[in-house]
Amino acid sequence: MKRLFSSKLWIAFVILAIFISGQLLGAFAIKHYFIESKIEELQPSLSLIGEEVADGEKISRTNDFLIKAYDVHGQEIDVYSDDLARSSSDDAKVNEKLTSHLPKIISGKTDAEIREVPGYSSQAIIIGQPLIQDNKVTGGIYLLKEARAYQAALNGFYLVFFVTLAVGTLIILVFLWTFIKEKNQLEQMRKDYVANISHELKSPLASIKALTETLSDHVVTDPQKIDQYYSIILRESARLEKLIADLLELSRLQHKKTAFTKTKVDTNEVIKEVTEPFAILADEMDLQFHITDQAKNLPATYSNKDRIIQVLTILLDNAFKFTPVQGNVTIDAKVTGRKAGIIVSDDGPGISKEILPKIFGRFNKEDLSHTSVGSGLGLSIAFEIMEQLGENISVESQTDSGTTFTITLKRA
Amino acid sequence: MKKSTSTILSMSLASILLAGCSADDIEEATSEAGDTIETTETAQAAETKQQSAESEAIDTSFIANKHLDVKYGGPWETQKLDIYLPNEGEGPFPVIVAIHGGGFMQGDKTGADIAPMIEGVNRGYAVVSVNYRLSNEALFPAAISDVKAAIRHVKANAEEYNLDAEKIAVWGGSAGGHLAALAGTSGDDDSLNGEYTENIHHSSEVQAVVDWYGQIDFLEIDAQFAESGITPKLGERSTDDSPESKYLGRNITEKVEEVKKANPETYITENDPAFLIQHGTADPNVPVQQSVDFAEKLKDVLGEEKVELTLFEGAVHGGEPFNSVENLEEVFDFLDRILK
């Protein structure tokens, strides 16, 4: 866990570094572009002015930019023909900043940068170059111009960057939150599953064990009772076997290793095959089992025959199990557009509203009395199969008035 | 699990905000004109030219009146000077003491870098070209004490050679510029006289100095190159094998006192001679700022009139703009003003 945490921290730092460097690079690119374009724009006029100043001529003041000139020792040269005084403290600071670049400028390097300049509301671009007269460097001349466009571009960039960043972070947060929630739910489900399964496995085993113990002690002598005990043991063993078989089946389905090869399926054949054993069972159990004409005349579908039989068997099995004597179990069908629906309904006790949404989960048998035969995994298996086939299974139920399951199949 | 994730997220959010603040601090986006490479190339070309020129001896055959290899004091073979007198004129002639360059470790009094000074012979000057002990012979202050001894020798024997002892200029380039400047400011100072005290009753004061791209403050060179954006050709000077370190006998950073003693600025006084300082702005051997700062300090004490500073745009360590006819005209104008 500690290692996991540190590696996550590392990833966070990498992401952070990418964010920061992205921002710095962006700001740098804007600055670079701005300076380059300004040099291109302003240098010719600066060169012209420089020539005039080097010749000792005075220039007239403009609102576009400010010109400052210094001799090689950093003494300011008065370049303007009028003497409009600027606030002297600001001026001294400006002079100090500009003259600190004089060595570079005297060495013949054009210097351009954007920086805070006292007396300017926004940052200013400063372009400096040597003052040259007859090939001799006599000082340095600077052009100062407020860089409002730069400031605006930079602010725009920051705005876009941060909004993007904030939205991105929010999306990631939401995603992570959902992910974690889902994961926690899964975890809880797994825990419940293990608990349920243990319980399901334990109860038949417990009765088998108790009965076997009683029998082996020869305490019971009544042969009728002994036979009854044996039959209970047999029943419980069968239940256990069925339960384990279902578990394996479900696990097999969920590992997606089973072939779900789809072919053209004669749906009527399927209905016939599935209902045959149940028709006999219905007589035995004294139930009314109907197969409607629609169900007998279904179009061909594109699916997996064995799986459909499996699902229908599960549904019919459940219906028969929960329908009381003299009750009705019906297979109906509905054909709409590209889909065919098979409807299995009964008029049993129905499923309560609380349990209905969880009906396809594992061990959500409504009747948890363990007296009924079944593993409680049937609907999970049915759901899993339908999902793998890319089809739907749905349920409708009203307490005391029966349950209806519908599966859809794609028409061939 | 959940906890760690939320910690990471809150951390990254916090740091993003921090990053936002720090981005405002980005400065330094200076762009340079694309001529740097070009400058270096010309610098190298000029240097090779200069070196090959230094190895060649100058042609002094046109000078009729000369005294060669005159010993000026001390037992060393290098402690000699050549005196070239004008072919015409009466005398006593004003004197140009020419000091060769070569980073304190090479060069000769007949080297080609003396040629501009020899031109003085055609303009009524006596030219005295001095050899001094190089850094492989003796350490600081040997070179400057030799130069001062040579000046004293000129003064002591002025009459014999028909020289004007009151009108002496020192002129040198590079290390020679340094020695000229140092001799100029320290003329009234005895601390650099060294062990050979010939003609000690004469001072080594001069009336004019022509300093061509000489180094002034050795310890500032590295920083000034860094500031100017020029790549120094000889590398860092604060290394054991820089010319200046060799001149002082040890790394200049360990010889701070000696560097100060060798700095012409240390000796600036009001009665110092007139200075003409010339330097190329793209000099990759000695930063131009050395001359700029030196000139400023001189001007502060001597006044604007006695100090001239010429910075040649894009010029390097010697070569055309210095030796050009126009510039020699300017230099001799300066000398004429002071010495004639």
Side-chain angles (χ1 to χ4, degrees), chain A residues 36-51 65 127 129 143:
Chain A
E36 285 301 311
S37 69
K38 282 292 161 185
I39 286 180
E40 213 166 281
E41 177 191 328
L42 296 173
Q43 204 173 24
S45 46
L46 180 59
S47 297
L48 278 176
I49 294 168
E51 279 170 32
F65 45 73
I127 302 175
Q129 60 177 43
L143 183 150

Side-chain angles (χ1 to χ4, degrees), chain A residues 248-259:
Chain A
L248 286 174
E249 172 75 6
L250 187 58
S251 144
R252 203 159 55 95
L253 289 174
Q254 286 183 331
H255 277 91
K256 305 185 182 181
K257 280 174 187 162
T258 332

